[in-house]
């Protein structure tokens, strides 16, 4: 993997959507290829939850189809029954829809094509292009040779089509144990591309499949199934990640064995998305879930789509991110800050503001009458005039952030200090008169006076002070559980580990901190999934763990 980290484009301006894949497509349309038809597919293997990398691929496949008035299919690439599960199928469909894309009635499974794939394999056997091999896995790999040394032909390579057909039928009928035989394409054991040295087409697996049950005990390999599935669905552009570039000759070779006419799907590779501070491999994500390093696939620290959703990321921000990073031909690592930037930009426009104090210290207004309540108008979202305003209650006892007060301030500290003045947001200017401490020296109360005529609409409302603090009424505040999430990994490229180390050695030990915060009462109206901006703090999302007696909020960005 290349080590350049892309950080530059924080301007938020979406680049022109045109990329090298679109350039290829436009050229083909000009030349009348496939009668100008554009048909893509997103082909996940249902062996895990989708992550932000898949989101990039989904945006590319569905986005490209819609840009050229084409179609995009959702196809489950379910050729390996050992690791696949309907739980994953369901979550993948939910995630693609949530991202804002629709496959209409074009939902397919590679397993829908098992009969056709079998028939084509039989045809290849008849035509002398495939054979049953009795070598075991170890021998096959030994016979394959190396990059510098040609492979050696299997002694079974010269079997007659009749013998191959008989054995392949018996493989299908369950006569042989797992691993005892395979069907191989007969290409060239000396081919410079190792993948072309008689690749395996079918293996025996006496395992039930999540869709076909016990109908099959032989299963096609990915390379054989993928291109033929594309062909069967009329896919024009089979977009995949760079590691499949070396598979392309094989993709094309298989198609030549079965295709009729001139139509062929075309494989085009692009660079997969890598993000700093993020692990993207499904296998590693599964490990984090299984070993309970995180609380499930939708833990807000996970880069899975359901995790990002729970954290409060919007589909719009993920699509904007996919646009901004564009499509590259070379591997790259994108700075996760760019993703966070896209989320912030989107939420800034759409989320209502709420005042919440995360680390409260009591503030008493000495010259404010006991028991009196003043209602102040607070703007819900300065970015959205439609969002309106609400009334918040000001009382004698308030909470402010402990960090917003310093007894002995150093340098430029514009928040509250002894003798200093600040404005309480939407309210009055106050002056710090006195502090009260407990026997250990911790500040328990800050005593202030307020200036009544500094409130909005009053004569001194424009009086300038350097600091503005958020606050809540101590009497009215609602305690809420706030989960402060930080990055799951402490290092920029957590998958790069030295010998003998594990990616989990790079975990951030402080990625979750749970606190009780004091929020203004309007939080009672929020429902699960709502996103708000806590004034001066950042964005928070109402977590599904919330109950009727406890609101749980997840910090969206660290
Ligand atoms: P694995 O190969 O380990 O099962 P995968 O991430 O490749 O994992 P698939 O289900 O095969 O999983 O992926 C579905 C599609 O998403 C493929 O077309 C794949 O190329 C694409 N994809 C997967 N990871 C990324 C990524 N990080 N960036 C962009 N596209 C990706
Ligand atoms: Mg894959």
């Amino acid at each position: 993997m290349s080590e350049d980290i892309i950080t530059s484009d924080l301007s938020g301006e979406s680049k022109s959507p045109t990329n090298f894949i679109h350039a290829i497509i436009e050229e083909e349309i000009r030349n009348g290829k496939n009668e100008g038809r554009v048909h893509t597919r997103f082909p996940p293997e249902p062996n895990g939850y989708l992550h932000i990398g898949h989101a990039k691929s989904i945006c590319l496949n569905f986005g490209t189809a819609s840009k050229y008035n084409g179609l995009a299919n959702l196809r489950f690439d379910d050729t390996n029954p050992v690791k696949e599960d309907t739980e994953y199928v369901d979550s993948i469909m939910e995630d693609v829809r949530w991202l804002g894309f629709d496959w209409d009635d074009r939902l397919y499974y590679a397993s829908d094509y098992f009969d056709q794939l079998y028939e084509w394999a039989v045809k290849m056997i008849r035509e002398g292009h495939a054979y049953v091999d009795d070598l075991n896995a170890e021998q096959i790999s030994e016979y394959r040779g190396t990059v510098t040394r040609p492979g050696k032909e299997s002694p079974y390579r010269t079997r007659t089509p009749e013998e191959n057909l008989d054995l392949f039928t018996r493989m299908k009928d369950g006569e042989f144990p797992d691993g005892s035989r395979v069907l191989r394409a007969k290409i060239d054991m000396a081919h410079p591309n190792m993948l072309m040295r008689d690749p395996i087409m079918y293996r025996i697996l006496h395992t039930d499949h999540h869709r076909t049950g016990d109908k099959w005990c032989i299963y096609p390999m990915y390379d054989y199934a993928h291109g033929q599935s594309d062909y069967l669905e009329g896919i024009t552009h089979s977009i995949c990640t760079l590691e499949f570039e070396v598979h392309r000759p094989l993709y094309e070779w298989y198609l030549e064995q079965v295709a009729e006419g001139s139509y062929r799907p075309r494989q085009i590779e692009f660079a997969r998305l890598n993000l700093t501070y993020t692990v993207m491999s499904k296998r590693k994500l599964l490990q984090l879930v299984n070993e309970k390093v995180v609380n499930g696939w939708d833990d807000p620290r996970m880069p899975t789509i359901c995790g990002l959703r729970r954290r409060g990321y919007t589909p719009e921000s993920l699509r904007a991110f996919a646009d901004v990073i564009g499509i590259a031909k070379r591997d790259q690592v994108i700075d996760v800050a760019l993703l966070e930037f896209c989320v912030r930009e989107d939420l800034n426009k759409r989320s209502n503001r709420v005042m919440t104090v995360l680390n409260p210290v009591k503030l008493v207004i000495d010259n404010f009458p006991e028991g009196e309540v003043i209602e102040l108008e607070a703007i819900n979202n300065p970015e959205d005039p439609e969002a309106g305003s609400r009334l918040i209650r000001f009382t004698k006892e308030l909470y402010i952030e402990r960090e917003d007060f310093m007894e002995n301030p150093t340098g430029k500290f514009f928040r509250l200090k002894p003798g200093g003045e600040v404005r309480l947001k939407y309210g009055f200017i106050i002056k710090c008169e006195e502090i009260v401490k407990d026997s250990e020296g911790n500040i328990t109360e800050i005593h202030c006076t307020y200036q009544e005529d500094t409130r909005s609409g009053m004569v001194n409302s424009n009086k300038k002070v350097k600091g503005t603090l958020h606050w809540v009424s101590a009497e009215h505040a609602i305690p809420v559980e706030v989960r402060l999430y930080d990055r799951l990994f402490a290092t920029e490229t957590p998958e790069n580990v030295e010998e003998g180390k594990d990616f989990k050695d790079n975990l951030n030990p402080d990625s979750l901190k749970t606190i009780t915060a004091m929020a203004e009462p309007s939080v009672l109206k929020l429902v699960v999934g709502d996103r708000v901006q806590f004034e001066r703090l950042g964005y928070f999302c109402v977590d599904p763990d919330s109950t009727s007696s406890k609101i749980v909020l997840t910090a969206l960005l660290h």
Side-chain angles (χ1 to χ4, degrees):
M1 192 201 298
S2 121
E3 287 307 296
D4 358 335
I5 293 174
I6 313 294
T7 51
S8 53
D9 197 339
L10 285 167
S11 65
E13 276 169 38
S14 172
K15 290 196 200 108
S16 150
T18 294
N19 54 53
F20 79 93
I21 296 181
H22 292 170
I24 291 174
I25 291 176
E26 285 170 24
E27 170 76 18
E28 290 177 353
I29 291 174
R30 274 196 296 277
N31 296 335
K33 192 175 172 189
N34 300 315
E35 297 79 45
R37 217 167 46 80
V38 173
H39 201 153
T40 58
R41 84 286 170 268
F42 173 64
E45 186 180 352
N47 63 353
Y49 281 69
L50 297 183
H51 53 57
I52 177 82
H54 295 114
K56 173 177 176 171
S57 172
I58 293 166
C59 290
L60 177 59
N61 278 293
F62 282 87
T64 297
S66 104
K67 181 172 159 91
Y68 298 102
N69 296 315
L71 299 169
N73 296 356
L74 174 63
R75 183 201 312 143
F76 287 101
D77 197 344
D78 55 351
T79 52
N80 182 3
V82 182
K83 291 188 186 160
E84 295 160 4
D85 199 278
T86 45
E87 174 198 346
Y88 300 130
V89 170
D90 295 341
S91 78
I92 289 169
M93 292 200 278
E94 186 187 353
D95 290 349
V96 176
R97 278 206 194 93
W98 178 79
L99 270 177
F101 299 105
D102 193 348
W103 54 89
D104 298 316
D105 56 354
R106 295 176 309 281
L107 170 64
Y108 300 106
Y109 295 82
S111 57
D112 293 342
Y113 311 132
F114 282 175
D115 286 299
Q116 177 66 73
L117 291 169
Y118 180 80
E119 273 173 42
W120 276 332
V122 167
K123 170 177 141 75
M124 285 171 61
I125 293 173
R126 287 217 171 90
E127 292 172 357
H129 297 309
Y131 63 98
V132 172
D133 197 351
D134 298 0
L135 294 183
N136 63 33
E138 206 178 309
Q139 292 165 318
I140 288 180
S141 124
E142 194 190 308
Y143 276 61
R144 183 161 282 141
T146 64
V147 190
T148 49
R149 180 167 54 81
K152 207 165 68 175
E153 293 184 357
S154 161
Y156 305 100
R157 198 178 197 264
T158 49
R159 277 175 167 155
T160 63
E162 291 67 35
E163 194 185 350
N164 283 319
L165 213 47
D166 169 65
L167 286 169
F168 188 51
T169 310
R170 287 161 61 196
M171 275 169 65
K172 179 190 70 141
D173 291 342
E175 226 176 275
F176 310 120
D178 288 4
S180 58
R181 288 190 163 87
V182 288
L183 184 72
R184 296 180 73 171
K186 197 172 188 173
I187 307 180
D188 178 0
M189 287 307 290
H191 201 286
N193 180 340
M194 302 264 297
L195 292 169
M196 298 293 275
R197 296 184 187 171
D198 292 9
I200 296 173
M201 292 173 62
Y202 272 90
R203 67 246 199 259
I204 303 174
L205 276 176
H206 289 268
T207 304
D208 282 5
H209 185 277
H210 73 109
R211 282 180 60 85
T212 58
D214 63 1
K215 177 172 175 191
W216 296 92
C217 62
I218 55 170
Y219 290 96
M221 299 299 288
Y222 171 87
D223 280 321
Y224 173 56
H226 197 77
Q228 324 313 300
S229 303
D230 285 341
Y231 178 76
L232 286 165
E233 291 173 17
I235 300 302
T236 53
H237 299 89
S238 182
I239 303 171
C240 60
T241 39
L242 279 180
E243 68 273 22
F244 287 100
E245 192 170 2
V246 290
H247 295 244
R248 197 184 333 133
L250 182 55
Y251 179 94
E252 290 171 354
W253 187 90
Y254 278 133
L255 284 172
E256 284 319 306
Q257 309 311 306
V258 306
E260 285 159 22
S262 62
Y263 152 70
R264 301 282 183 281
R266 172 173 180 183
Q267 177 179 308
I268 304 174
E269 307 86 14
F270 72 102
R272 65 169 49 231
L273 169 66
N274 300 298
L275 277 181
T276 56
Y277 297 98
T278 309
V279 156
M280 208 79 92
S281 138
K282 272 197 233 173
R283 188 177 52 79
K284 290 180 186 147
L285 295 177
L286 180 64
Q287 214 178 325
L288 294 175
V289 171
N290 285 344
E291 295 174 16
K292 303 209 181 327
V293 173
V294 294
N295 301 313
W297 286 101
D298 69 344
D299 186 298
R301 290 164 292 183
M302 291 281 272
T304 50
I305 295 180
C306 55
L308 298 174
R309 175 163 66 229
R310 184 158 179 184
R311 186 126 185 202
Y313 286 29
T314 58
E316 290 82 357
S317 59
L318 297 187
R319 295 201 303 264
F321 173 67
D323 247 18
V324 170
I325 58 175
I327 302 299
K329 281 189 199 179
R330 196 170 151 249
D331 270 326
Q332 51 182 209
V333 183
I334 305 283
D335 190 334
V336 72
L338 187 51
L339 171 62
E340 293 163 352
F341 171 82
C342 291
V343 177
R344 236 181 250 121
E345 254 227 329
D346 185 36
L347 290 170
N348 181 44
K349 283 181 254 150
R350 60 205 293 170
S351 56
N352 283 347
R353 275 54 171 170
V354 166
M355 291 209 282
T356 299
V357 175
L358 295 182
N359 184 14
V361 64
K362 189 164 272 182
L363 187 139
V364 183
I365 313 280
D366 290 332
N367 60 341
F368 193 86
E370 189 91 43
E372 189 168 320
V373 177
I374 294 185
E375 293 199 315
L376 298 167
E377 188 179 14
I379 293 166
N380 286 334
N381 183 355
E383 301 286 322
D384 175 10
E386 309 267 289
S389 61
R390 66 192 185 286
L391 294 175
I392 47 173
R393 282 169 283 193
F394 188 89
T395 50
K396 187 176 179 72
E397 297 202 343
L398 310 171
Y399 291 120
I400 63 163
E401 266 343 306
R402 202 167 269 281
E403 291 77 32
D404 280 340
F405 178 80
M406 264 181 103
E407 191 177 0
N408 302 302
T410 46
K412 289 184 182 167
F413 183 78
F414 297 127
R415 291 167 279 162
L416 198 58
K417 56 192 168 196
E421 290 186 339
V422 292
R423 180 176 286 281
L424 293 177
K425 183 125 196 175
Y426 305 118
F428 309 91
I429 290 177
I430 56 164
K431 182 175 180 193
C432 175
E433 308 286 353
E434 194 191 345
I435 50 176
V436 179
K437 294 182 181 177
D438 63 14
S439 57
E440 283 160 19
N442 302 309
I443 297 171
T444 53
E445 281 180 5
I446 301 167
H447 285 258
C448 296
T449 48
Y450 86 119
Q451 298 155 35
E452 200 176 352
D453 61 0
T454 54
R455 166 186 183 182
S456 164
M458 302 281 217
V459 278
N460 273 322
S461 66
N462 288 330
K463 180 174 170 186
K464 291 271 172 286
V465 280
K466 288 231 164 97
T468 300
L469 308 186
H470 62 279
W471 53 275
V472 290
S473 154
E475 189 186 326
H476 299 99
I478 309 291
V480 293
E481 178 177 321
V482 172
R483 298 180 182 165
L484 298 167
Y485 290 102
D486 198 350
R487 288 171 180 155
L488 187 54
F489 290 93
T491 53
E492 214 163 54
T493 50
E495 287 176 282
N496 290 359
V497 286
E498 306 156 23
E499 269 299 295
K501 290 253 182 183
D502 184 86
F503 76 100
K504 283 179 289 167
D505 295 327
N506 293 326
L507 281 164
N508 172 6
D510 301 314
S511 60
L512 171 58
K513 199 170 136 208
T514 300
I515 59 168
T516 299
M518 295 306 238
E520 65 166 71
S522 72
V523 294
L524 293 173
K525 294 196 200 115
L526 298 175
V527 298
V528 170
D530 278 354
R531 307 167 184 96
V532 288
Q533 186 195 98
F534 286 172
E535 298 266 14
R536 298 180 60 231
L537 297 172
Y539 298 96
F540 292 77
C541 180
V542 183
D543 193 85
D545 281 348
S546 300
T547 62
S548 55
S549 55
K550 184 181 76 174
I551 302 173
V552 179
L553 288 136
T554 286
L556 243 146
L557 303 164
H558 66 280

